[in-house]
Amino acid sequence: MTLFPQLDAFRGGNNQVRLIGHRGSRGVMPENTMPGFAFTLDIGVDALEFDVVMTRDRVPVIAHNSRLDASFTRDQKGSWIAEPGPRIAELTLRELQTLDVGGLDGRSTYGQRFPDQAFLNDVRIPSLEELLDFANLPERKNLSLMLEFKSDIDAKSPVQERVELVAKVVSQVRARKLEARTVLHSFDWDLLSECRRLAPEMPTSYLSIMPSNFQGSDTKDPALVCPDFGAFQMSLPQAVARAGGQMWCPYVADVTQDLVAEAHQLGLLVSVWTVNDPAEIQRMIDVGVDGIVTDYPGRVQRILSAQGMVWRDDTYGQTA
Ligand code: MG
């Protein structure tokens, strides 16, 4: 069943597990930046996960948090910005792009989590259009986009802002005819309903995390807009299928072989976030997920290739 050609690039099986660079490849390159995206593709990983929020002048830009993060944002003088950083929704694109997000402050808690990340200068927060133009280059025709919408919990008019963000993003994707290479992805399941209404030609990917695993996760952000997953009266795959999604994207600690099998029976693809630990990478391969979203694509490539497995349709990385 292939209703959405976009999904082929995210489907595993036949000795294949798909590889998706999380925020580009955050473990080794500055997150959500053009150098990180280019690096990810240059090492043979064709799917990019990234996050979209909107500026004050209503431009979709690529950033994870609703506020600028002081641990990787420097001002025009090269100094780290003060904590807490300003909300992106209160800055124009022009103001935002005076700042440099190419390096992590090694003294910060966040910086210490990624000791191998390269330190670059003069790297700007990209607009979504910048990445879409890059994806549109003839040499990037294999690139797939896992486009994550971030909902701002402090939004003054959440419903209106959600519709505006989805409409803007969809029109930018359509303007470049990239619909057939884009999957729309979010924790905000209401926003995904809006995606299904406004852009029925693009599949939707439903993120989840069970509250019991929240503390151990990457997402300690209390500003996460998402359903109360712990209150669901059905399994997460059933809930995604009922919501009309095509992909389920659970947190790694929530994943079991039974849930993956159930999701597949329901016709869903399963991509898992954010899998960086080698033992967890192996466990995800063993339970049969379709795709692994990781900060360290090279690490997953090595684990797959050591078992004679592939992450894309050609034999990239394979030796006879
Ligand atoms: Mg994301």
Side-chain angles (χ1 to χ4, degrees), residues 74-80 98:
R74 283 170 288 161
D75 64 19
Q76 284 156 292
K77 293 184 188 138
S79 308
W80 300 107
T98 63

Side-chain angles (χ1 to χ4, degrees), residues 22-23 32 49-52 63-64 146-150 185-187 207 218-219 273-274 293:
H22 184 239
R23 307 191 199 178
N32 280 325
E49 188 275 354
F50 56 94
D51 310 284
V52 178
H64 184 267
M146 181 180 258
L147 188 161
E148 180 174 353
F149 289 95
K150 287 290 183 195
H185 182 66
S186 193
F187 273 107
L207 280 154
D218 195 14
T219 298
W273 65 279
T274 301
V293 182

Side-chain angles (χ1 to χ4, degrees), residues 31-180:
E31 70 177 68
N32 280 325
T33 63
M34 293 309 299
F37 298 138
F39 168 84
T40 307
L41 295 168
D42 288 346
I43 63 167
V45 173
D46 295 322
L48 298 177
E49 188 275 354
F50 56 94
D51 310 284
V52 178
V53 299
M54 197 135 72
T55 62
R56 192 175 85 201
D57 47 343
R58 321 314 276 162
V59 181
V61 293
I62 302 181
H64 184 267
N65 301 334
S66 54
R67 284 183 182 278
L68 285 170
D69 192 319
S71 57
F72 60 88
T73 309
R74 283 170 288 161
D75 64 19
Q76 284 156 292
K77 293 184 188 138
S79 308
W80 300 107
I81 63 166
E83 194 87 79
R87 290 179 64 220
I88 291 176
E90 286 164 4
L91 298 174
T92 63
L93 177 67
R94 207 189 168 100
E95 288 166 336
L96 206 58
Q97 290 194 328
T98 63
L99 301 163
D100 189 340
V101 292
L104 258 176
D105 181 355
R107 297 161 307 177
S108 69
T109 308
Y110 189 62
Q112 285 170 11
R113 280 184 51 205
F114 299 102
D116 301 326
Q117 192 187 95
F119 194 102
L120 277 57
N121 286 322
D122 296 321
V123 178
R124 309 298 155 194
I125 290 181
S127 65
L128 174 63
E129 288 194 297
E130 223 175 313
L131 176 59
L132 297 177
D133 286 341
F134 172 82
N136 224 5
L137 296 171
E139 64 270 31
R140 300 300 187 192
K141 64 180 186 326
N142 292 328
L143 165 57
S144 291
L145 302 171
M146 181 180 258
L147 188 161
E148 180 174 353
F149 289 95
K150 287 290 183 195
S151 290
D152 183 353
I153 207 156
D154 299 320
K156 289 191 191 80
S157 327
V159 175
Q160 190 189 322
E161 289 191 23
R162 182 191 294 144
V163 175
E164 187 187 4
L165 177 63
V166 173
K168 280 235 158 108
V169 167
V170 164
S171 83
Q172 292 186 352
V173 171
R174 284 179 178 155
R176 290 161 185 81
K177 301 193 166 43
L178 289 168
E179 306 94 303

Side-chain angles (χ1 to χ4, degrees), residues 207-228:
L207 280 154
S208 68
I209 179 167
M210 292 308 280
S212 50
N213 280 321
F214 204 77
Q215 277 310 314
S217 81
D218 195 14
T219 298
K220 295 199 179 67
D221 187 355
L224 188 64
V225 177
C226 65
D228 181 1

